[in-house]
Amino acid sequence: MTAKAPLIIFDTTLRDGEQSPGASMTRDEKVRIAKSLERMKVDVIEAGFPIASPGDFEAVEAVARSVRDSTVCALARALERDIDRAGEALKPAASGRVHTFIATSPIHMKAKLHMRPEQVLEQAVSAVKHARGFTDDVEFSPEDAGRSEVDFLCRVIEAVIDAGATTINIPDTVGYSIPQHFGELLRQLLERIPNAHRAVFSVHCHNDLGLAVANSLAAVLSGARQVECTINGLGERAGNAALEEVVMTVRTRQDVFPCDTRLNTNQIVPTSRLVSNITGFPVQPNKAIVGANAFAHESGIHQDGVLKSRETYEIMRAQDVGWSENRIVLGKHSGRNAFRSRLKELGIEFDSEQELNEAFTRFKELADKKHEIYDEDLQALVTDVGLEARDERCRLVSLRVCSETGEIPQASVILNVYGEERSGQASGGGPVDAAFKAIDGILQSHSELQLYSVNAITGGTDAQGEVTVRLQKGGRIVNGQGADTDIVIASVKAYLKALNKLLQPKPRAHPQMGEL
Ligand code: KIV
Ligand code: ZN
């Protein structure tokens, strides 16, 4: 049997994913996610947009230093100063790629860039040539390709391949395309551009009409051999194509696709959880592949069928995408070594013994409250540990809530704020409301609560509740997540995580959509 052509998986969770309102990540969080993507054998990790801010630059540099087995990519507009920053940030990479872009649609060229098509073409070519000064691996994107004229696209792409671009990425920037047309666009480009065989063609689809994955796969059937995607479909506005859906469709339907990825699919669920915990973006229960219900059979007919033969109603095996069988993995008598090695199996490693000790102390506290500790509990527990936690400006010292039938719930809270202990009390409609008001009395955050949701991490009434909180202040949106067997404490942890993000300096807005 002849081996199938490789389908390159380019993950942009750390760049386009981070452009979801409220999903900004710290440098260390990005490194943790990048290591998880590397473990999953993602081919290319787009780590950020170095010109956007010093923080973005440092994050790309840190990812480039930590990742060895995936190519690390940095985004740059088609401007020398952007490309210089990208090239600089990628210096420590074992394998680095510069991804440069400029818009080619009539509306973007006229209304945003105020440039004539000939000027755009010239700038694209000189950007690619400049990027080749840093690396042989240069990707070029004609932004808003989905709404660009095909003749012009062909001219630009032919010219940038001649200038040295090795990957040509076709973005459906505004999620406007439909699968039949997008597949046809790729087919035409590959057929009409004389030097197309000298580059890998890639696609990058947004999900505004819910078609990002369908459009990406239609393009793959037409010959695209790289897909840009994100974990959980995170990304600007309605998000990008979800990595897990693209990869599992191609893997499951090998009868249809002429290519396959090299992905270690059993890392999909742990990585999805890590991204959700870090960004505070919950995964909807009915989300394909990584949603809590993705492999749950509710109807009796289905359950009966699956018990008789799994294939009656299941097209994939849950364990192949990394769902554990809800095994009790650890308990209160488990030692530090068992704890460390189970985390290692889950792909979680700590930077220092101090972090491991901190996590182990939390594990023991949890095991006292909850006898059976599952993988999901461990994953939620370790997200709180480490540098991210050390960056906290305010921390919970203690919380007391009184909730009784016929009485108004009361909360008393003590916080450590910039090293100083401060206390507050409040009453509220319920214990969570009272606790949030008590915190607000201390911090005076003046933020607006946009979302509050609770989800049980595992089954049973002693399960940890995972709470997501979204806050808005002055146009800035942040998310926080917290987990605990006590949902009021989980809520307070989530609230404080979000408030801590608001207390950090505001990251600079990503400039690529507005300016050139
Ligand atoms: O959506 C888009 O066009 C992008 C480009 C920078 C590739 O994210
Ligand atoms: Zn995008």
Side-chain angles (χ1 to χ4, degrees):
M1 205 175 73
T2 47
K4 290 225 170 168
L7 177 63
I8 298 167
I9 294 298
F10 176 115
D11 179 278
T12 183
T13 307
L14 304 179
R15 198 280 296 170
D16 220 327
E18 201 195 23
Q19 288 173 218
S20 309
S24 67
M25 300 164 229
T26 65
R27 186 194 59 192
D28 299 297
E29 288 168 342
K30 282 194 170 191
V31 170
R32 261 164 95 178
I33 293 175
K35 297 291 288 172
S36 193
L37 294 169
E38 181 186 31
R39 216 172 296 118
M40 193 157 60
K41 293 200 168 166
V42 156
D43 300 283
V44 187
I45 299 172
E46 188 164 54
F49 192 11
I51 194 80
S53 69
D56 252 46
F57 178 91
E58 282 170 25
V60 175
E61 202 179 35
V63 170
R65 200 173 301 114
S66 324
V67 166
R68 298 288 93 183
D69 296 334
S70 307
T71 294
V72 178
C73 177
L75 184 69
R77 291 168 297 180
L79 293 173
E80 281 195 6
R81 63 174 189 277
D82 278 39
I83 294 166
D84 291 346
R85 284 300 270 171
E88 185 68 23
L90 289 173
K91 267 194 182 148
S95 161
R97 172 181 297 185
V98 172
H99 175 191
T100 185
F101 70 95
I102 188 166
T104 49
S105 63
I107 178 156
H108 276 227
M109 290 190 289
K110 187 162 182 247
K112 182 181 86 170
L113 302 178
H114 308 293
M115 283 169 82
R116 284 180 287 105
E118 292 314 311
Q119 291 173 301
V120 167
L121 191 147
E122 211 174 286
Q123 191 155 330
V125 167
S126 64
V128 168
K129 285 188 178 153
H130 191 66
R132 283 294 299 243
F134 292 93
T135 168
D136 292 344
D137 189 350
V138 173
E139 173 167 330
F140 173 77
S141 290
E143 190 192 357
D144 204 16
R147 293 188 300 171
S148 300
E149 283 163 8
V150 183
D151 289 350
F152 183 55
L153 269 184
C154 287
R155 283 180 58 214
V156 173
I157 294 170
E158 183 180 350
V160 294
I161 294 176
D162 276 341
T166 44
T167 299
I168 299 297
N169 178 47
I170 306 300
D172 181 24
T173 303
V174 291
Y176 182 68
S177 299
I178 62 169
Q180 199 186 5
H181 294 171
F182 200 61
E184 176 56 20
L185 172 65
L186 264 289
R187 199 193 58 72
Q188 279 199 39
L189 295 177
L190 285 163
E191 198 176 281
R192 287 178 51 184
I193 299 169
N195 55 4
H197 60 282
R198 282 171 30 207
V200 172
F201 274 64
S202 164
V203 284
H204 173 114
C205 297
H206 279 272
N207 208 28
D208 300 67
L209 294 173
L211 293 171
V213 171
N215 284 332
S216 305
L217 295 173
V220 171
L221 288 175
S222 292
R225 287 294 172 265
Q226 174 178 287
V227 175
E228 302 200 354
C229 43
T230 57
I231 300 291
N232 302 335
L234 212 62
E236 184 93 33
R237 305 182 309 279
N240 289 60
L243 176 146
E244 59 278 7
E245 296 176 21
V246 170
V247 168
M248 288 316 292
T249 305
V250 173
R251 183 66 53 89
T252 307
R253 297 307 307 269
Q254 278 292 291
D255 55 328
V256 173
F257 289 92
C259 50
D260 197 6
T261 73
R262 61 172 195 134
L263 246 72
N264 210 345
T265 58
N266 60 19
Q267 292 300 312
I268 287 179
V269 169
T271 310
S272 157
R273 284 226 188 85
L274 180 68
V275 170
S276 170
N277 287 341
I278 285 178
T279 58
F281 270 64
V283 175
Q284 76 196 53
N286 57 330
K287 165 83 180 60
I289 323 290
V290 293
N293 294 348
F295 291 87
H297 296 279
E298 183 66 23
S299 109
I301 297 175
H302 288 203
Q303 286 172 352
D304 179 56
V306 169
L307 286 175
K308 286 179 177 145
S309 165
R310 191 187 57 80
E311 284 84 10
T312 51
Y313 286 100
E314 276 186 8
I315 57 167
M316 293 168 277
R317 294 190 323 161
Q319 59 269 41
D320 289 348
V321 296
W323 284 105
S324 62
E325 288 149 28
N326 264 4
R327 275 183 304 132
I328 302 161
V329 288
L330 296 172
K332 81 193 259 184
H333 299 297
S334 306
R336 209 163 159 280
N337 276 343
F339 176 69
R340 188 210 296 258
S341 63
R342 185 61 203 150
L343 288 180
K344 199 160 178 222
E345 279 163 29
L346 290 174
I348 302 164
E349 282 175 77
F350 293 104
D351 289 342
S352 64
E353 281 300 295
Q354 189 198 335
E355 279 181 19
L356 173 70
N357 292 340
E358 214 181 295
F360 187 61
T361 307
R362 291 197 194 199
F363 159 71
K364 283 289 180 185
E365 284 164 8
L366 179 63
D368 270 340
K369 294 189 258 177
K370 185 175 189 292
H371 299 305
E372 300 163 341
I373 309 279
Y374 300 101
D375 286 340
E376 290 84 345
D377 292 312
L378 293 178
Q379 273 155 334
L381 180 136
V382 297
T383 318
D384 285 350
V385 177
L387 288 160
E388 180 202 345
R390 260 177 260 140
D391 273 352
E392 285 174 354
R393 268 70 168 164
C394 58
R395 195 163 45 75
L396 178 68
V397 177
S398 69
L399 170 72
R400 188 165 175 273
V401 282
C402 294
S403 175
E404 201 180 327
T405 34
E407 297 294 328
I408 295 175
Q410 308 280 340
S412 311
V413 66
I414 302 179
L415 300 181
N416 181 309
V417 186
Y418 293 106
E420 192 189 308
E421 283 202 3
R422 297 178 46 195
S423 61
Q425 290 82 35
S427 54
V432 172
D433 188 41
F436 282 16
K437 283 184 174 143
I439 291 171
D440 248 6
I442 302 172
L443 296 176
Q444 303 286 332
S445 77
H446 305 295
S447 57
E448 183 200 320
L449 182 68
Q450 286 200 327
L451 175 130
Y452 170 81
S453 77
V454 190
N455 184 30
I457 292 183
T458 56
T461 48
D462 69 346
Q464 290 199 84
E466 185 172 58
V467 174
T468 304
V469 159
R470 181 172 305 151
L471 300 178
Q472 201 265 120
K473 185 180 175 184
R476 188 169 169 200
I477 296 173
V478 292
N479 289 297
Q481 239 176 18
D484 201 281
T485 48
D486 180 325
I487 59 161
V488 184
I489 296 180
S491 305
V492 165
K493 283 184 182 171
Y495 195 47
L496 287 175
K497 233 192 214 154
L499 287 169
N500 267 302
K501 288 188 185 168
L502 280 183
L503 291 171
Q504 312 259 358
K506 188 175 176 181
R508 245 192 68 183
H510 285 268
Q512 91 264 29
M513 298 301 164
E515 315 154 16
L516 176 77

